[in-house]
């Protein structure tokens, strides 16, 4: 679990799970490049984490759905960090869509950020990991199970799962390990998901959550339930783990 001096890039670092990961990595002594499209919040999160130490963080604006921006941001981050050991690719988006008539704009946006963004950031990290490293992608149980009102998002995350497992086989020869975390964690994205549900669907969702999550009957906390897993996957303690889809969900998947 030792991360002192590790060089890490975190995408989606301005809020939610990304901000939690950034704080945890800096607290463990790592040096972190925080990437996000939200400049003001990203700068504030990085500065606050650095003030607490013992590691440090700095912010670079980046839209992960834009290949040129990704390449430029990763090049700049690797220069400033002095290399790259870990990528925690957390940036992602969610939007509801009627499955019988998915708007082209919604389809393009979801897949560009969630799928293309994963491919762009992973490829950029690969080029800066000549001696190996760890890439942590973010999938979703929506990409494993049938969920009402969530098929398009689930399809984008299923693509992330397939990419992660396939590329893990290829890049293992370079000593790059690739895993995907599937979190059931309270985030701003989850709050927006709840807001978009009808009262009936929300009640059904809460009832199912209470029944199906053995540990507490509710979504987990990013700082206490997920951050320790991200610390482990970034550490050398996870050196023989790759190609895995790792649910952090209070047991939801195991009991469905």
């Amino acid at each position: 679990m030792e991360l002192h001096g590790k060089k890490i890039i975190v995408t989606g670092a301005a809020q939610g799970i990304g901000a939690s990961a950034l704080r945890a990595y800096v607290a463990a002594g790592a040096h972190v490049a925080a990437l996000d499209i939200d400049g003001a919040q990203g700068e504030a999160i990085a500065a606050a984490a650095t003030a607490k130490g013992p590691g440090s963080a700095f912010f670079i604006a980046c839209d992960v759905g834009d290949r040129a921006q990704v390449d430029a941001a990763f090049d700049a981050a690797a220069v400033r960090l002095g290399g790259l050991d870990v990528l925690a690719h957390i940036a992602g988006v969610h939007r509801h869509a009627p499955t019988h008539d998915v708007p082209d704009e919604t389809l393009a946006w979801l897949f560009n950020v969630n799928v293309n963004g994963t491919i762009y950031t992973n490829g950029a990290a690969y080029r800066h990991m000549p001696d190996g490293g760890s890439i942590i992608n973010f999938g979703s149980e929506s990409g494993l199970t049938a969920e009402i009102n969530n098929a398009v998002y689930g399809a984008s995350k299923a693509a992330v799962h397939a990419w992660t497992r396939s590329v893990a086989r290829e890049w293992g020869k370079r000593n790059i390990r690739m895993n995907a975390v599937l979190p059931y964690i309270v985030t701003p994205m989850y709050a927006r998901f709840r807001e978009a549900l009808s009262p009936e669907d929300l009640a059904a969702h809460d009832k199912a959550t209470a029944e199906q999550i053995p540990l507490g009957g509710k979504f987990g906390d990013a700082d206490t339930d997920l951050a320790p897993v991200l610390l482990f996957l970034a550490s050398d303690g996870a050196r023989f783990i790759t190609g895995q889809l790792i649910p952090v969900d209070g047991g939801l998947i195991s009991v469905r």
Side-chain angles (χ1 to χ4, degrees):
M1 298 287 283
E2 176 60 48
L3 295 184
H4 184 76
K6 288 280 189 183
K7 308 170 184 72
I8 301 177
I9 291 176
V10 176
T11 69
Q15 65 173 339
I17 290 172
S20 174
L22 183 150
R23 290 191 295 266
Y25 287 147
V26 171
H31 302 298
V32 182
L35 274 56
D36 204 287
I37 58 173
D38 187 338
Q41 185 68 11
E43 291 277 9
I45 292 290
T50 299
K52 290 185 177 180
S56 63
F58 59 89
F59 176 77
I60 298 177
C62 179
D63 177 354
V64 299
D66 184 314
R67 185 194 293 267
Q69 286 192 41
V70 169
D71 288 343
F74 273 64
D75 289 348
V79 168
R80 188 162 173 183
L81 290 169
L84 182 62
D85 299 311
V86 179
L87 164 63
H89 175 50
I90 301 170
V93 293
H94 179 276
R95 183 179 294 167
H96 287 284
T99 52
H100 64 282
D101 188 20
V102 182
D104 286 343
E105 183 273 335
T106 297
L107 192 63
W109 179 66
L110 278 170
F111 273 77
N112 185 55
V113 175
N114 293 349
V115 182
N116 293 5
T118 298
I119 294 170
Y120 297 158
T121 58
N122 288 190
Y126 175 93
R127 292 190 288 275
H128 290 288
M129 292 178 169
D131 301 316
S134 174
I135 295 176
I136 307 165
N137 288 326
F138 267 68
S140 172
E141 288 163 15
S142 302
L144 288 180
T145 63
E147 292 187 345
I148 301 299
N149 297 314
N150 222 20
V152 181
Y153 174 76
S156 74
K157 289 301 185 177
V160 172
H161 299 168
W163 164 267
T164 299
R165 298 181 70 184
S166 296
V167 177
R169 291 193 69 178
E170 292 186 34
W171 294 0
K173 297 177 180 63
R174 276 268 297 265
N175 199 33
I176 294 174
R177 59 189 189 273
M178 292 186 60
N179 297 287
V181 172
L182 286 57
Y184 251 53
I185 299 293
V186 174
T187 64
M189 183 186 292
Y190 175 60
R192 291 191 292 271
F193 167 80
R194 292 179 61 85
E195 290 167 0
L197 295 177
S198 68
E200 295 77 15
D201 285 341
L202 181 59
H205 171 74
D206 286 342
K207 182 175 184 294
T209 299
E211 293 172 347
Q212 295 174 357
I213 297 182
L215 295 178
K218 60 182 180 180
F219 280 40
D221 178 81
D223 293 330
T224 58
D225 299 322
L226 180 57
V229 179
L230 301 182
L231 289 169
F232 170 66
L233 290 175
S235 77
D236 294 339
R239 62 187 173 275
F240 205 53
I241 299 174
T242 197
Q244 302 303 307
L245 308 180
I246 303 172
V248 184
D249 64 358
L252 174 67
I253 282 295
S254 67
V255 300
R256 275 192 170 185

